Amino acid sequence: MKIASALGLARSVLHYRLNLPKQYRLRLLYSQFVRPGDLAFDVGAHLGDRTWALRALGCRVVAVEPQPLPVRFLEWLYSAASDVALESCALGAGPGTAELLVSSRHPTVSSLSASWVEQASASDEFRTVTWDRQVPVRIDTLDGLIARHGLPAFCKIDVEGFERDVLRGLSQPIPALSFEFLTARHDLTLACLAEAARIAPYRCNIAYGESLRLALPDWRDIGDFQALLRAVPAGIASGDIYLQLPRT
């Protein structure tokens, strides 16, 4: 198990921390949502590539990560950083505890959603992935984070099928946020958009795959955007949806 975890960590370091072209694209993308001095939340921080990008743009960052090994890596990187606060927990609809389903070799797909893991296990995309252990984790909420750290200008959410639950724990508008989507789970994407509509009249855009570029020239309201989701280009398995409050 320790060997598998070490290999998983090494794979993540290569893919996320040493991928400088991706880091450059992240900074270009996030510069549309934050300014120096802003607060940002990185929910599902993993090894902190998004935290790195947001810090480079001058943000103070709250990095949220429940997995023990990535948390230790983040502590090694940022324990002395005054502009990064580490929260070693998961986020959900309400505070409590839960069992995190962990993939030692592929830690980026560890999830709190048993139904998401079950469906992923049956798909070709995840045929080499196994979820081999369970880890008890503390659950907090976005509202709880805001109460402790303040309202962020931007919040990134990437929690492998648990995004809707994270949004359910938010009762006030965040100016801009993003969440991951999978084309195979259109139902979860629509549920996340419904939660966003409950919070505020957000406008939407989309980045396909790992492009880290907004695909639409103009932002759409949630109703129009739902129709667009039915026409995602062939070959796109995932991506990120971006939401921002209407500009006045």
Side-chain angles (χ1 to χ4, degrees):
M1 192 70 67
K2 290 183 178 180
I3 293 175
S5 296
L7 289 173
L9 182 68
R11 182 183 290 110
S12 291
V13 168
L14 288 171
H15 185 72
Y16 296 103
R17 296 297 306 195
L18 299 180
N19 190 337
L20 297 183
K22 181 178 180 180
Q23 181 64 205
Y24 175 75
R25 297 198 308 274
L26 273 173
R27 296 179 189 186
L28 284 179
L29 176 61
Y30 287 166
S31 67
Q32 300 174 67
F33 305 109
V34 297
R35 297 291 181 268
D38 281 349
L39 176 65
F41 288 174
D42 182 1
V43 180
H46 194 47
L47 299 189
D49 60 315
R50 309 300 174 108
T51 295
W52 183 17
L54 290 162
R55 282 188 81 207
L57 294 170
C59 292
R60 296 172 293 118
V61 184
V62 177
V64 183
E65 175 56 48
Q67 296 186 74
L69 191 56
V71 166
R72 290 199 292 273
F73 183 85
L74 291 172
E75 288 173 343
W76 174 70
L77 283 176
Y78 297 124
S79 60
S82 61
D83 55 353
V84 177
L86 301 179
E87 292 275 359
S88 56
C89 65
L91 298 188
T97 59
E99 294 290 324
L100 181 70
L101 303 173
V102 175
S103 173
S104 297
R105 285 184 176 269
H106 302 85
T108 55
V109 297
S110 298
S111 177
L112 282 166
S113 173
S115 63
W116 185 90
V117 167
E118 181 179 6
Q119 183 175 28
S121 298
S123 69
D124 289 340
E125 183 183 358
F126 293 93
R127 62 183 179 277
T128 63
V129 179
T130 57
W131 287 262
D132 52 340
R133 60 195 177 100
Q134 297 183 19
V135 176
V137 297
R138 177 174 64 89
I139 307 293
D140 204 339
T141 65
L142 277 172
D143 280 346
L145 245 61
I146 291 169
R148 287 196 300 280
H149 299 282
L151 183 71
F154 174 72
C155 175
K156 161 257 178 182
I157 305 169
D158 184 352
V159 290
E160 308 307 315
F162 211 63
E163 288 80 4
R164 175 184 58 180
D165 295 79
V166 174
L167 290 169
R168 287 176 62 196
L170 177 65
S171 63
Q172 55 190 299
I174 293 174
L177 54 88
S178 70
F179 66 87
E180 186 185 35
F181 75 91
L182 294 177
T183 53
R185 291 303 306 268
H186 189 62
D187 58 323
L188 289 181
T189 303
L190 293 179
C192 287
L193 290 172
E195 289 296 332
R198 169 187 61 81
I199 297 163
Y202 281 108
R203 305 276 286 172
C204 307
N205 212 314
I206 193 167
Y208 296 125
E210 292 289 316
S211 69
L212 300 175
R213 294 184 180 90
L214 297 179
L216 302 180
D218 58 330
W219 291 72
R220 313 287 179 86
D221 65 36
I222 288 178
D224 291 341
F225 188 75
Q226 288 173 335
L228 177 142
L229 284 174
R230 301 187 186 95
V232 171
I236 298 296
S238 63
D240 294 285
I241 290 172
Y242 288 81
L243 307 171
Q244 66 176 1
L245 295 175
R247 295 178 178 175
T248 58

